[in-house]
Amino acid sequence: MSRSERLLDLMQVLRRYRQPVSGRRLAEETGVSLRTLYRDIASLQARGARIEGEPGIGYVLRPGFMLPPMMFSEEEIEALVLGSRWVAKRGDPRLAAAAADALAKIGSVLPADLKEKLEHSTLLVGPRKPGGETIDLSLLRKSIRSEHKLELRYLDNDGRDSRRTVWPFALGFFEEVRVLAAWCELRQDFRHFRTDRIAEAAMLDDRYPRRRQALLKDWRAVNSIDPAGI
């Protein structure tokens, strides 16, 4: 186990206790010697962890300390790399660039041993077929975040053209297609719109009258997306 993983384990154990716990018990739970435990506690305190106590009395972690990026385990690093690479392949250009930037920021603060694992991860993501969108997906994401209505020009499966005013609340990324989930004012119901069939999209000044979290909750109660049937 690397030192970073060992410190992470110690933090996780400390979080389970609200009252001071002895160093010997912490050493047993983390599988290290008492001397190593004392060194690890000192290392965490030097990095800003509010661990109070001393040998013979016990230790307690005060609330409010957030784990820094250097505290990721090896599997968490792999999950971050795989997720970022998936977004780079499946997301729109701005989302892909954001994933790469986020991974670079994490890499800049990792210890050398974990940074090497991040840079040389062998978890790969295959290419995706071109989505065929003619619109900027970042506009859809912005509309969802800000809870603004969208005006769409949409082509259905038979090529019929319609204009819709919708309340967008989710964007689904599937292997072959991307799907916008929204409340449709025309149909007065939830509808799913394949992004490769949205010919035009414009965000309106009007905010829709419900919170997107409430729309998502109601949608989940009655819907599941099958992209093949849209």
Side-chain angles (χ1 to χ4, degrees), residues 22-41:
S22 70
R24 188 169 300 280
R25 182 163 185 176
L26 290 172
E28 291 174 355
E29 290 199 34
T30 54
V32 300
S33 68
L34 199 55
R35 174 182 286 186
T36 298
L37 176 82
Y38 291 149
R39 287 203 305 264
D40 289 347
I41 286 176

Side-chain angles (χ1 to χ4, degrees), residues 59-189:
Y59 298 90
V60 63
L61 175 67
R62 297 304 179 191
F65 179 69
M66 300 298 292
L67 295 176
M70 66 183 66
M71 299 302 294
F72 289 129
S73 69
E74 290 187 30
E75 288 194 343
E76 289 169 338
I77 290 293
E78 288 188 336
L80 288 169
V81 171
L82 183 61
S84 295
R85 288 177 176 174
W86 192 94
V87 172
K89 294 286 188 179
R90 300 294 192 270
D92 58 82
R94 292 184 64 177
L95 202 58
D101 289 346
L103 202 60
K105 289 178 181 178
I106 292 171
S108 68
V109 296
L110 285 174
D113 59 332
L114 290 182
K115 185 174 183 179
E116 183 178 359
K117 290 180 172 62
L118 180 143
E119 293 176 345
H120 298 95
S121 173
T122 55
L123 301 181
L124 307 175
V125 177
R128 174 186 179 271
K129 291 182 180 179
E133 286 95 355
T134 59
I135 59 166
D136 183 359
L137 292 187
S138 65
L139 175 68
L140 305 187
R141 292 189 286 106
K142 182 179 179 181
S143 180
I144 291 170
R145 289 196 304 269
S146 62
E147 299 181 342
H148 277 71
K149 295 182 181 182
L150 276 174
E151 186 174 59
L152 306 179
R153 177 172 163 251
Y154 190 71
L155 305 175
D156 66 14
N157 193 38
D158 297 320
R160 292 188 293 265
D161 191 321
S162 65
R163 290 195 174 271
R164 311 286 186 95
T165 299
V166 302
W167 309 350
F169 58 85
L171 187 60
F173 289 77
F174 296 88
E175 190 64 26
E176 302 296 336
V177 299
R178 297 154 174 147
V179 178
L180 178 71
W183 175 268
C184 177
E185 291 188 353
L186 177 65
R187 302 302 184 192
Q188 286 295 294
D189 201 355

Side-chain angles (χ1 to χ4, degrees), residues 202-217:
M203 187 170 72
L204 304 180
D205 293 334
D206 296 338
R207 298 188 61 172
Y208 47 78
R210 298 188 64 196
R211 298 305 305 272
R212 67 174 183 273
Q213 293 91 338
L215 290 170
L216 182 62
K217 181 180 179 180

